Amino acid sequence: MDQMEILQRMALAIAIGALVGVERHWRERDEDEGSRTAGIRTYTLIGMLGGLAGLLERLLGAAGALPGLVLVGFLVTLTAVFALFQYREGVAEHRFSATAVVAAMLTFALGALALIGDTMLASAGGVVLAVILASREFLHRAIKRLRWVELRSALILLTLAFVLRPIVPAEPVGPFGGVSPAKILIMAIVLAAISFCGYIAVRLLGATRGELVAGTIGGLISSTATTIANARRSRQSPAVRALAAGAVSAGGMSLLRTGFLVSAVLPSLADRLLLPLAAGAATMFAGALLLARASATAPPAEREATGQEGANAESASLEPGSPEPKNPFDLASVFKMALLLVGVAFAARVASQLWGDGGLYAASALAGLADVDAVTVTVAGMLPTLDPAVAARALGLAVLANMLAKAAYAGLLGARGFALALAGASALALLAAGASLLLLR
């Protein structure tokens, strides 16, 4: 490490301390001088101290000294002194918090990391630390408004994603390539995450805006899963049009995502597919906006159910004695739907292996019942030896099957109004895509 690099790393350590110090000082900017334990100067010096400790650690380590001795000694001394001053300040002001002590320790550690470790990690850590410190009011309000059903659902979702997922075997089981248990769990996690995000979006934004935003985001992950989740909810909620707006928006986002995927992995088919996909997506988005507007002008009972009263409705729902909210997702139903979607994909693979190349259309249509992305990637791998016209028709069949499947799922699982709204928007999108195909000829 040359001198210029040392200076750059030391500047980063000082900058991290200054960033944290600005947030800490701003929070207590109205305090009299000498009444605060640490402000912008102190935290800047702590960052510099961490950088110097890291530099000494590097130099002494090269000379054969015991690794970590310098860093541990400086950190223990800093923590003890800082905690003492923070304790005296807390006694004087009758408030107690360990945040400032932990912030000082992290600032020191990030300053040391800037000298002896990854500078990108150190700078990112400094920004994250400042953001967390500045988010105190938001986090406290969020915790006050958090309900047990929401916390429980979040914990279940995190357990599925980070505890069960790593230990569930990924190797397929059964004939024809089998079915991967991990894939079933991943699909269940996706379904549960979409339902949970939709629930939170509705709580924050109200049902009409929340469902529209949640549906658009859900379409980036899985429009089929979003449609299934909204369809199930539509049977229990009078906010049918808001839920339909979310599902239709998810369908439009799915078409848009497929267009981007075609551009990335199937550029030779872009001239055949992009215009129809774009026309269909635009029609779906327009339908979603119309449904959202209809929901906003719905009868008073539906507006109240969808949270259109805004802050008043939200605050009322948080008052003591208010009815317990519905579960953000039903785990048993989530796994049933995950098994259904994975089973459909497995059936598509079996059809493809039994019928060979001649079964590509049938396999694409069957796979499209669950997912379009898999067909896009599969066709991309076959394209060097596949007629582009055949590839385009296979992908088109997958998109068509996916849209029809979502309309069928809506009819089977959702309320009548939800199913009709989704079917109508899908039909108009298909007409728009068909009209654009005629223009290309």
Side-chain angles (χ1 to χ4, degrees):
M1 185 187 303
D2 57 22
Q3 290 185 347
M4 182 57 67
E5 184 180 357
I6 292 175
L7 289 174
Q8 291 174 344
R9 287 174 174 267
M10 184 62 70
L12 175 59
I14 294 172
I16 291 172
L19 177 63
V20 177
V22 166
E23 191 282 332
R24 296 281 84 190
H25 199 118
W26 181 87
R27 189 171 295 281
E28 300 181 354
R29 61 190 182 281
D30 297 328
E31 300 289 336
D32 296 331
E33 290 295 329
S35 62
R36 70 176 72 88
T37 298
I40 184 171
R41 292 182 302 168
T42 303
Y43 279 97
T44 302
L45 291 175
I46 290 174
M48 185 177 180
L49 179 65
L52 288 173
L55 181 59
L56 288 174
E57 178 71 26
R58 178 184 288 271
L59 294 175
L60 293 177
L66 186 64
L69 183 62
V70 175
L71 288 176
V72 172
F74 271 84
L75 181 59
V76 170
T77 304
L78 169 68
T79 303
V81 173
F82 199 94
L84 175 61
F85 276 88
Q86 190 66 27
Y87 172 75
R88 295 184 61 183
E89 179 183 335
V91 171
E93 299 182 0
H94 303 287
R95 59 181 177 85
F96 300 92
S97 173
T99 301
V101 178
V102 177
M105 296 170 64
L106 286 171
T107 303
F108 174 89
L110 290 170
L113 180 63
L115 260 292
I116 62 176
D118 191 329
T119 55
M120 289 293 293
L121 184 60
S123 57
V127 172
V128 171
L129 174 59
V131 169
I132 292 174
L133 292 173
S135 303
R136 183 183 70 175
E137 287 77 13
F138 170 78
L139 294 174
H140 286 187
R141 286 197 304 269
I143 291 297
K144 286 181 180 179
R145 294 166 59 180
L146 183 67
R147 296 168 175 172
W148 165 243
V149 68
E150 297 161 359
L151 177 60
R152 180 189 63 194
S153 298
L155 292 175
I156 292 173
L157 189 56
L158 291 172
T159 302
L160 292 175
F162 297 104
V163 178
L164 291 182
R165 170 61 190 89
I167 62 177
V168 171
E171 293 77 13
V173 178
F176 298 101
V179 174
S180 169
K183 188 170 183 179
I184 298 175
L185 181 58
I186 290 172
M187 184 57 68
I189 292 170
V190 168
L191 286 163
I194 289 172
S195 295
F196 186 80
C197 290
Y199 177 94
I200 296 300
V202 170
R203 285 264 286 143
L204 295 177
L205 302 174
T208 298
R209 288 179 298 169
E211 296 295 355
L212 198 59
V213 171
T216 304
I217 296 173
L220 289 171
I221 305 171
S222 172
S223 62
T224 305
T226 304
T227 301
I228 290 173
N230 284 17
R232 289 178 53 251
R233 292 168 57 200
S234 71
R235 284 189 176 272
Q236 304 172 349
S237 170
V240 173
R241 279 177 281 196
L243 290 165
V248 172
S249 180
M253 182 56 67
S254 174
L255 293 175
L256 202 61
R257 185 188 62 191
T258 301
F260 280 112
L261 193 58
V262 166
S263 300
V265 301
L266 295 169
S268 61
L269 301 183
D271 58 337
R272 301 170 182 261
L273 297 175
L274 285 188
L275 183 58
L277 289 171
T283 304
M284 296 288 275
F285 285 134
L289 290 175
L290 289 175
L291 285 168
R293 179 174 295 182
S295 178
T297 58
E302 182 174 340
R303 287 206 307 274
E304 184 178 350
T306 59
Q308 287 301 307
E309 301 301 328
N312 292 335
E314 184 177 358
S315 62
S317 68
L318 298 175
E319 292 177 355
S322 61
E324 184 71 11
K326 292 182 175 63
N327 196 336
F329 57 84
D330 179 3
L331 200 58
S333 298
V334 160
F335 271 100
K336 289 178 183 177
M337 292 304 162
L339 287 169
L340 172 64
L341 295 178
V342 173
V344 169
F346 175 72
R349 187 164 61 251
V350 171
S352 178
Q353 292 186 21
L354 289 178
W355 299 336
D357 293 340
L360 177 61
Y361 291 151
S364 297
L366 283 172
L369 298 176
D371 183 44
V372 178
D373 292 347
V375 178
T376 307
V377 175
T378 301
V379 170
M382 299 171 61
L383 195 57
T385 59
L386 191 64
D387 183 357
V390 174
R393 284 194 289 270
L395 188 56
L397 281 172
V399 173
L400 175 62
N402 187 254
M403 295 183 69
L404 294 177
K406 286 183 287 191
Y409 295 147
L412 292 172
L413 304 172
R416 183 171 180 271
F418 179 92
L420 290 176
L422 183 62
S426 301
L428 291 175
L430 290 174
L431 287 175
S436 65
L437 280 174
L438 293 177
L439 292 176
L440 292 176
R441 294 187 175 182

